[in-house]
Amino acid sequence: CMRFYFKFLWLLGIFLIFYFLDIKGSSSYISDRIKNALMSAKNSLLDNIQAYFFQAQNIKEFQKERLILEALKLENADLKERLNSVYPLENSKMTYTPTFMTSFISLEDTHSVSLNPIVNLEENKIYGLVSHNQAIGIAVLEKGRLNGFLNAHKRCAYSVMIGKNQVLGFIRTNFKQELVVDFIVPSAEINIGDQVLTSGLDGIFGAGVFVGEVSSIEDHYTYKSAVLKNAFLSEAKLLRHVFLSDVKN
């Protein structure tokens, strides 16, 4: 009885194979539908297997392409600002090279970070740090170690411009650990909500990188200052890739 049962299943299987392969002409539409469904299922299975085994490689290639695209966007922003700038900017090429943060220099100071050094850096030269299309600080190669000083650090300073009039100033931090644009000329027209971008005048950053937005304005005897908002990134974002800006003549 069992032998008959297995023989019946074997013959049924052969019949179905021939049926699916369209040996029976009168059922070509049905068999084609089944074959198409089987091929679709097979292709889907192969795609899933490929994605599983090559996921790491695909992710790595995607991240590399994303970093190249981000660097090009920053370089294009620099070129655009140089073409539209009211100030005489040199035609030096600003490049952005990806690197990453390895750790904070100390647990007590979360505004200083260690960075993975890249080749051909000059000792004691100041480089700009950009992450998520935002200026986040500066970096200096000191005794072979690439140290980063974020926006809230006392060593961090660079040139910026405010609003549509491109009013110039310099970044610093006040006693409240807020980011401030200082030494703005008293007659300058600036407004709350104005965007603050890097100026490109100091050779640290390219022009046009977002820094923050003006949240309040303070009048002093010989100058103005502007306190910024949206000027700091979360630690989770900081520990991902960052770009090192450099001028190539």
Side-chain angles (χ1 to χ4, degrees), residues 57-237:
Q57 182 63 29
N58 289 340
I59 290 175
K60 185 177 181 180
E61 291 177 359
F62 172 77
Q63 289 177 336
K64 183 178 180 181
E65 292 175 358
R66 180 180 61 80
L67 291 174
I68 293 172
L69 179 61
E70 286 188 29
L72 287 174
K73 286 172 64 178
L74 291 167
E75 291 169 12
N76 287 337
D78 174 55
L79 179 60
K80 178 182 176 181
E81 290 296 332
R82 288 176 185 276
L83 291 173
N84 298 328
S85 177
V86 299
Y87 307 106
L89 293 170
E90 297 179 3
N91 292 323
S92 303
K93 178 176 174 57
M94 180 64 66
T95 62
Y96 290 87
T97 305
T99 183
F100 56 90
M101 298 182 183
T102 56
S103 65
F104 293 106
I105 291 180
S106 70
L107 295 176
E108 294 77 21
D109 181 10
T110 56
H111 304 309
S112 303
V113 295
S114 294
L115 295 144
N116 183 54
I118 55 180
V119 297
N120 300 324
L121 296 181
E122 296 180 28
E123 190 81 11
N124 297 318
K125 179 180 178 180
I126 300 174
Y127 299 90
L129 283 178
V130 179
S131 181
H132 295 77
N133 298 308
Q134 184 170 351
I136 62 169
I138 63 169
V140 184
L141 187 68
E142 299 174 309
K143 298 180 180 179
R145 298 185 63 181
L146 186 58
N147 297 321
F149 305 101
L150 305 182
N151 279 339
H153 197 280
K154 61 183 180 181
R155 289 184 60 179
C156 182
Y158 50 89
S159 173
V160 295
M161 54 188 179
I162 305 172
K164 62 182 180 180
N165 296 322
Q166 298 182 353
V167 175
L168 295 178
F170 287 90
I171 286 294
R172 71 169 182 85
T173 306
N174 64 15
F175 69 95
K176 297 179 182 178
Q177 292 291 290
E178 297 171 317
L179 203 62
V180 177
V181 182
D182 235 345
F183 305 116
I184 304 167
V185 295
S187 59
E189 184 180 341
I190 59 174
N191 302 289
I192 293 174
D194 280 349
Q195 280 202 345
V196 178
L197 309 175
T198 55
S199 70
L201 291 169
D202 52 14
I204 297 175
F205 290 95
V209 182
F210 178 78
V211 179
E213 298 175 8
V214 176
S215 63
S216 63
I217 301 167
E218 299 173 355
D219 289 304
H220 305 279
Y221 182 68
T222 55
Y223 66 95
K224 288 182 181 178
S225 61
V227 178
L228 304 187
K229 63 180 180 179
N230 302 324
F232 300 102
L233 294 180
S234 67
E235 290 184 10
K237 288 185 176 181

